[in-house]
Amino acid sequence: MQPKEIEAIHRDHIKQKAKERNLILLTQLSIFVVFVGVWEWLARINAINVLIFSYPSKMWELFWAQLLDGRLLPHIGMTVWETVVGFLLGTLLGTLLATLIWWSPFLSRVLDPYLVVLNSMPKVALGPVFIVFLGPGLLSIIAMGCAISVIITTIVIYTSFKEVNQNYVKVVQTLGGNKRQIFRMVILPSTIPAILSTLKVNVGLSWVGVIVGEFLVSKMGLGYLIIYGFQVFNFTLVMVALAIIAVVATLMYQGVALLERRLTSQFK
């Protein structure tokens, strides 16, 4: 096959992939538009209870009004800050703990049943403990966001460490590599996809932990708005807060996905 023919095939492949991505994006947008339109229509014809479910145009009016008067941004900023910190801490601590367990086979055998028990425990039940220990404030909320993701991060990454092809490890050992070099040159690079996948999961888990923490103690944040809206029967405010959470969580997820594509593009 001639080089020009190969280049032409490559261009056609790129065009086909671009068309596929555009079609997927168009389909996703269409589903969203249809969902919002049907929701609005059902509310207009009184087919659903607008007191509970509200409707998009009313949510937009409330969102825009609170955005203009400056009441909404502090709540968004506080929750996003707590979530990002909890997300980073949970991922970092989980990765460090997984590394420590991999490094010490003795520690691995000792901690294995405890990890299973901690993973099965409902993390939100630790909320009162954090409140008493850290106080009813920012630290307890961040601790909730961290605690809900750190154990699953540890288990997933440690499992990925163990599943690395041992032939690669033996090659480094044959060349005189020590355990630190094995980890740096074989274990960590081989598990980058698993770590990035864990980041995606931790986005959702961190949001759950932070929102639950704000339910319990916060006087600021999107979780507080949800509880406040429920208490005063302003379910439009509740739906606005939920919509903002969905949007920001999606943006965080897309940021992790972009990082994944950049880090793994060299392996494709």
Side-chain angles (χ1 to χ4, degrees), residues 29-148:
L29 291 175
S30 299
I31 292 173
F32 175 75
V33 170
V34 170
F35 172 76
V36 172
V38 170
W39 184 3
E40 182 79 18
W41 174 69
L42 291 175
R44 294 293 183 180
I45 64 173
N46 294 320
I48 59 174
N49 190 334
V50 295
L51 175 64
I52 298 176
F53 298 104
S54 191
Y55 50 93
S57 60
K58 187 176 181 180
M59 290 166 56
W60 175 255
E61 290 174 2
L62 179 61
F63 169 79
W64 192 246
Q66 295 213 355
L67 191 65
L68 291 178
D69 64 22
R71 286 183 291 170
L72 191 58
L73 284 179
H75 292 285
I76 298 175
M78 177 61 70
T79 301
V80 170
W81 164 251
E82 294 165 345
T83 304
V84 170
V85 174
F87 166 76
L88 294 176
L89 283 178
T91 303
L92 180 61
L93 292 177
T95 303
L96 291 176
L97 185 56
T99 303
L100 181 62
I101 295 173
W102 173 85
W103 200 276
S104 172
F106 174 78
L107 194 61
S108 171
R109 291 192 293 270
V110 170
L111 294 182
D112 185 73
Y114 292 99
L115 290 175
V116 174
V117 171
L118 289 173
N119 187 48
S120 62
M121 180 185 298
K123 312 303 183 299
V124 295
L126 296 174
V129 177
F130 290 135
I131 293 171
V132 173
F133 181 66
L134 298 174
L138 181 65
L139 288 179
S140 59
I141 297 173
I142 292 176
M144 278 293 299
C146 175
I148 206 167

Side-chain angles (χ1 to χ4, degrees), residues 208-267:
V208 171
V210 167
I211 295 301
V212 170
E214 290 182 343
F215 283 173
L216 296 174
V217 297
S218 181
K219 295 182 179 180
M220 178 74 68
L222 296 174
Y224 167 78
L225 289 183
I226 292 173
I227 290 296
Y228 175 76
F230 171 75
Q231 291 173 341
V232 300
F233 258 64
N234 186 353
F235 287 99
T236 301
L237 180 61
V238 174
M239 299 302 290
V240 167
L242 290 174
I244 294 172
I245 291 171
V247 171
V248 180
T250 301
L251 292 176
M252 287 181 62
Y253 182 90
Q254 292 300 323
V256 174
L258 178 61
L259 176 64
E260 180 183 31
R261 287 194 295 271
R262 290 189 174 182
L263 291 179
T264 58
S265 59
Q266 57 182 316
F267 303 112

Side-chain angles (χ1 to χ4, degrees), residues 149-222:
S149 60
V150 66
I151 299 301
I152 189 64
T153 300
T154 302
I155 293 174
V156 171
I157 295 180
Y158 172 62
T159 302
S160 301
F161 286 170
K162 292 195 300 182
E163 293 177 350
V164 172
N165 192 328
Q166 290 301 304
N167 291 327
Y168 300 147
V169 175
K170 291 177 182 177
V171 169
V172 177
Q173 289 175 334
T174 302
L175 296 173
N178 55 32
K179 198 158 190 174
R180 179 177 297 178
Q181 291 171 322
I182 291 172
F183 180 79
R184 181 173 57 85
M185 300 173 65
V186 178
I187 301 298
L188 190 59
S190 299
T191 54
I192 285 178
I195 294 174
L196 292 172
S197 297
T198 305
L199 288 177
K200 292 181 179 179
V201 175
N202 284 353
V203 170
L205 293 178
S206 299
W207 274 99
V208 171
V210 167
I211 295 301
V212 170
E214 290 182 343
F215 283 173
L216 296 174
V217 297
S218 181
K219 295 182 179 180
M220 178 74 68
L222 296 174

